[in-house]
Amino acid sequence: MAALPYAEYGSVPLSDVRPQGWLLEFLRRQCAGITGHPQASGYPLDRTFWDNPSRLPDVADPAMVWWPYEQTAYWVDGALKAGFLAGDETVHRMALAQVEGAIATAAPDGFLGPELFRTGNRWPYAVFFRAVLAQYGITGDRRLLDALVSHYRSTPHPMDSRRDVSGVEILLALYAETREPDLLQMATDLYERFNCEATDHNVDLSLAGMGSDRPVTTHGVAFNEIAKLGALMYAATGERDSLDATVHAYAKVEGAHLLADGLHSASEAMCGNDPLASHETCTITDYTWSLGHLLQITGDSRYADRLERVIFNALPGALMKDFTALQYFSCPNQVIATNASNHNSMSRGDNRMAYRPGHPVQCCTGNVQRALPNYVERMWMRRAGDRDGRVDEIVAALLGPSRIEARLTDTPVTIEEHTRYPFEPAVGFTLTPARPVRFAFTVRIPGWCREPVVTVNDRPIAETPVQRGFCRIEREWHPGDRVDLALPFELMAKRWPGGGVSLELGPLTLSHPISAPLTVDTEDDWERTPQEFRLAGPQRRLPGFPAYTLSPERPWAYALAIDETSPPDMADVVWSESTGFPLDVDTPAVRVFVPARRVQDWSLVETDRVSRTLPSFANGRFRMVEHEVTGQFTLTPPLPEPGTLPDRLSEDVGRIELVPLGNTLLRLTVFPTAEPPENR
């Protein structure tokens, strides 16, 4: 897709990028899992709606008719990209059929989808149209763009609910590609209407609210879908105040809500950074999608650092590693995952923290399909040369094994990225232009790396020219030229509320893996699901796609006994020589052994009564309602109170194993702290 006029960089067509190594294996597992078998997840993912505007969903409340369109649109976007990138034509065709069906059944004036959406609830269109734009990026088929343009010209865009404003993203993408001024005007008008009509419910998301010091407490997905629009409007118009408001809003969120796995809390609203704060799996995808926009618009590599940390930690941490099941809520600290272990106030005591092929609400099941394909799509950026002498530039922005085929200075160029990053501390590039040609090759230097080394054809760059986290190398490139990047991983400690501490190794968050047998859960608690959430229906059990119950079978209650100022001095870091999939539970790429002490009387919380908040959409009006629920519930406990901790520590100091968070199912990531052995 073309870049907006004020953006620092543009994206590359999806057709030009190919994942390799562990990224390709992840996508293949995804296609073999619930992405390629949506029927395993249940309703509405086992149906199609976008390809037939007369096939309306069956929902308990007619006001919520948009839900199945949102959830299936997530799947279409993720499956279309995943199928293409993994080379799985079956999955790609399944998703493409809904895109082609929607276009084939357009109304005479070009409107796509059911007539009932002409006047409101347009939010699912933004999700679905991303898939249409992705297919355009694969094929260059102008018919796809024309269909979207005709849709937006067919009828005035409504501003019925706050997420209707998300149409700005698609309108600006179409404007970037076509430069049709009426598309920019429609986007500008829609965004102005949103800001003028801002209510208490969406005050966090207006330009005034984002630019203020008011704390952000809104819904995580809504924030990420709407807050980035200010930056996109800047990229189209050059109005700096819009960008500044978006940047400030994200800084507020990351300062107050960022968790140890790199993602902000959102269960479903943002809820601080306590070690038990969790996030909805939808937010993994939507936060990283928005960070990708901010990276391209601002050229600030810090957004790439944040994006990588989420994809390498929070994403695999919420999944079975074969992509057959996911959590709806996940957390850096989760020592149990059953159908009655959700420790968050939202739906407390239900199955949202269990690993299941589908959940009572399927937004996360659909949306998680998009996360890694979006990462691959954003790995490379480019900037065109100009008449002032600036040469074409290609940027390796997000690191990982891949190949790109691009045209630079009118010359075909292939770049191979050889690495297991982030599961090894080095990245190598081989550049193969069709002929010697001058262009700029830029690589991102992660912000966590203090002593990077960049070499060109084995010769170190004496003073690495790093600006805003990017190393730009402009020269005449020849076939077979190599650029190598050494990124020493440093072990770092990070403090959290309640006296907690976590450890990071480069871009990887470390966790203590808690052993638990994979017990198949045969109970379907749909009958206990509130009426508003009964979209999924009783779940069908397909072979190979079970729901799991995980309860700890070994001790897990440890306090780290380290000096937080110099954790490398007390830890043993052992890299594996295995070349297998680095996210499997049993084959982590690195293991870190640290001193720890057992904590007495720190155990699972067992109770027969919980207070559970649930959203109500009665009569189409959103509100949160609290319920008292009885049953048998077992929850992850909070950290021990720091004041009582010294008396509860064992005398013996042992060593425990830490692995990347993405290798775990149950885990302890934020630990209480004890004095290191030499201080006792």
Side-chain angles (χ1 to χ4, degrees):
M1 297 294 293
L4 288 164
Y6 293 92
E8 286 290 327
Y9 294 103
S11 58
V12 301
L14 194 62
S15 59
D16 292 354
V17 183
R18 288 293 184 275
Q20 309 276 8
W22 75 266
L23 291 173
L24 180 58
E25 174 62 16
F26 190 112
L27 290 166
R28 285 174 172 168
R29 292 183 179 207
Q30 182 173 335
C31 288
I34 55 176
T35 303
H37 299 84
Q39 67 275 21
S41 299
Y43 188 86
L45 299 179
D46 58 354
R47 314 288 174 87
T48 64
F49 297 102
W50 288 97
D51 58 342
N52 185 345
S54 65
R55 187 187 300 127
L56 298 179
D58 179 21
V59 294
D61 184 345
M64 304 313 299
V65 71
W66 60 269
W67 271 22
Y69 286 91
E70 173 204 42
Q71 293 160 14
T72 54
Y74 285 143
W75 177 86
V76 173
D77 184 34
L80 188 145
K81 294 175 184 176
F84 172 75
L85 292 169
D88 192 319
E89 293 185 6
T90 299
V91 173
H92 182 234
R93 284 197 302 267
M94 276 199 304
L96 182 59
Q98 295 202 47
V99 170
E100 293 291 355
I103 293 173
T105 56
D109 63 356
F111 186 80
L112 300 172
E115 286 293 315
L116 62 90
F117 289 144
R118 279 192 187 263
T119 57
N121 286 324
R122 290 282 193 93
W123 148 242
Y125 281 77
V127 182
F128 184 70
F129 287 172
R130 289 169 186 156
V132 181
L133 292 172
Q135 183 64 16
Y136 171 73
I138 293 170
T139 64
D141 184 350
R142 187 76 183 191
R143 178 179 55 91
L144 300 169
L145 282 188
D146 291 344
L148 298 189
V149 172
S150 295
H151 167 84
Y152 282 108
R153 287 174 173 166
S154 68
T155 188
H157 198 295
M159 190 58 245
D160 179 58
S161 66
R162 63 177 178 175
R163 286 201 207 177
D164 281 349
V165 74
S166 58
V168 167
E169 177 187 334
I170 307 302
L171 285 163
L172 292 181
L174 295 171
Y175 169 69
E177 201 67 23
T178 67
R179 288 302 194 263
E180 294 286 346
D182 67 318
L183 299 173
L184 175 58
Q185 190 60 53
M186 279 190 272
T188 301
D189 291 347
L190 181 57
Y191 197 53
E192 287 180 352
R193 284 161 56 203
F194 169 78
N195 280 285
C196 289
E197 298 172 16
T199 64
D200 288 343
H201 191 49
N202 61 357
V203 68
D204 287 348
L205 303 170
S206 67
L207 284 175
M210 291 195 298
S212 74
D213 290 331
R214 173 191 173 99
V216 180
T217 58
T218 193
H219 189 273
V221 169
F223 174 84
N224 285 293
E225 290 292 358
I226 299 174
K228 68 175 181 290
L229 299 180
L232 285 167
M233 288 301 303
Y234 158 79
T237 66
E239 294 183 5
R240 184 77 195 193
D241 288 348
S242 296
L243 174 63
D244 290 344
T246 294
V247 169
H248 184 62
Y250 273 90
K252 289 192 293 184
V253 166
E254 288 154 2
H257 302 290
L258 209 62
L259 304 182
D261 58 9
L263 181 60
H264 63 77
S265 63
S267 58
E268 303 211 350
M270 298 185 198
C271 52
N273 59 0
D274 180 90
L276 284 186
S278 305
H279 35 62
E280 184 185 2
T281 298
C282 277
T283 315
I284 295 172
T285 297
D286 290 321
Y287 179 56
T288 52
W289 180 248
S290 296
L291 290 179
H293 278 299
L294 293 176
L295 171 63
Q296 291 181 350
I297 291 166
T298 66
D300 189 336
S301 68
R302 290 176 296 180
Y303 294 115
D305 293 340
R306 296 167 193 168
L307 198 163
E308 283 191 353
R309 189 168 291 278
V310 176
I311 293 297
F312 300 157
N313 298 285
L315 173 61
L319 295 167
M320 295 299 295
K321 313 315 171 189
D322 58 3
F323 217 92
T324 58
L326 73 148
Q327 296 176 283
Y328 187 98
F329 289 148
S330 58
C331 182
N333 280 8
Q334 52 185 47
V335 302
I336 186 168
T338 70
N339 62 11
S341 71
N342 174 22
H343 60 253
N344 298 281
S345 62
M346 169 70 172
S347 298
R348 179 175 283 122
D350 76 354
N351 64 9
R352 293 186 187 225
M353 297 195 75
Y355 291 88
R356 304 166 62 91
H359 286 267
V361 179
Q362 299 281 31
C363 53
C364 293
T365 313
N367 211 350
V368 74
Q369 326 288 340
R370 303 173 53 230
L372 198 74
N374 287 349
Y375 181 85
V376 174
E377 184 178 11
R378 294 286 183 56
M379 290 179 72
W380 295 86
M381 307 186 299
R382 64 176 300 158
R383 179 159 47 192
D386 56 31
R387 294 178 181 177
D388 295 330
R390 187 172 68 181
V391 299
D392 284 358
E393 180 181 7
I394 191 76
V395 184
L398 303 174
L399 303 177
S402 68
R403 184 182 83 249
I404 184 171
E405 296 177 356
R407 194 168 187 86
L408 301 166
T409 319
D410 295 323
T411 303
V413 178
T414 298
I415 304 175
E416 295 271 358
E417 186 173 5
H418 313 278
T419 185
R420 295 185 79 218
Y421 179 90
F423 307 108
E424 67 175 0
V427 183
F429 301 90
T430 301
L431 291 81
T432 309
R435 60 177 177 81
V437 62
R438 188 174 190 85
F439 62 88
F441 176 53
T442 298
V443 295
R444 181 181 126 260
I445 308 298
W448 50 261
C449 185
R450 297 186 183 184
E451 298 180 349
V453 177
V454 182
T455 62
V456 178
N457 295 332
D458 298 323
R459 295 181 179 179
I461 298 177
E463 294 184 4
T464 304
V466 177
Q467 294 183 353
R468 302 186 75 187
F470 291 100
C471 176
R472 187 176 187 272
I473 308 169
E474 181 182 334
R475 54 171 282 169
E476 182 177 86
W477 297 96
H478 296 257
D481 281 347
R482 281 190 57 87
V483 174
D484 290 288
L485 183 60
L487 301 170
F489 283 21
E490 185 175 355
L491 190 64
M492 302 285 291
K494 191 166 184 178
R495 267 287 177 183
W496 300 96
V501 66
S502 65
L503 293 179
E504 299 173 352
L505 185 66
L508 300 173
T509 298
L510 300 177
S511 301
H512 176 55
I514 299 174
S515 177
L518 288 178
T519 303
V520 174
D521 182 8
T522 58
E523 178 184 354
D524 193 313
D525 60 357
W526 182 76
E527 291 296 338
R528 293 189 280 126
T529 300
Q531 185 71 24
E532 299 97 316
F533 288 143
R534 290 190 181 182
L535 289 182
Q539 191 171 341
R540 290 184 291 170
R541 303 295 186 181
L542 296 188
F545 294 91
Y548 293 104
T549 290
L550 283 79
S551 297
E553 64 176 358
R554 294 179 185 171
W556 53 265
Y558 293 101
L560 292 188
I562 62 169
D563 182 348
E564 297 171 40
T565 63
S566 56
D569 296 339
M570 309 186 70
D572 297 316
V573 179
V574 181
W575 289 92
S576 170
E577 296 182 359
S578 170
T579 58
F581 187 58
L583 286 168
D584 279 336
V585 171
D586 296 329
T587 57
V590 62
R591 301 174 192 267
V592 179
F593 299 89
V594 294
R597 298 169 65 183
R598 289 280 301 275
V599 181
Q600 309 298 326
D601 301 321
W602 185 29
S603 58
L604 295 169
V605 176
E606 296 183 354
T607 180
D608 59 6
R609 182 181 297 273
V610 295
S611 178
R612 172 184 297 174
T613 57
L614 293 171
S616 171
F617 300 95
N619 301 316
R621 186 172 68 89
F622 173 85
R623 62 194 182 98
M624 297 297 294
V625 178
E626 189 166 313
H627 304 260
E628 290 292 322
V629 183
T630 59
Q632 296 298 318
F633 310 101
T634 307
L635 315 176
T636 296
L639 293 186
E641 288 290 335
T644 68
L645 183 61
D647 294 335
R648 298 164 63 182
L649 294 171
S650 67
E651 288 295 321
D652 296 334
V653 178
R655 294 183 81 77
I656 61 171
E657 176 190 55
L658 306 181
V659 300
L661 185 150
N663 288 94
T664 67
L665 298 172
L666 300 184
R667 55 184 168 263
L668 192 63
T669 305
V670 179
F671 294 81
T673 56
E675 288 188 355
E678 63 268 24
N679 293 346
R680 297 178 61 206

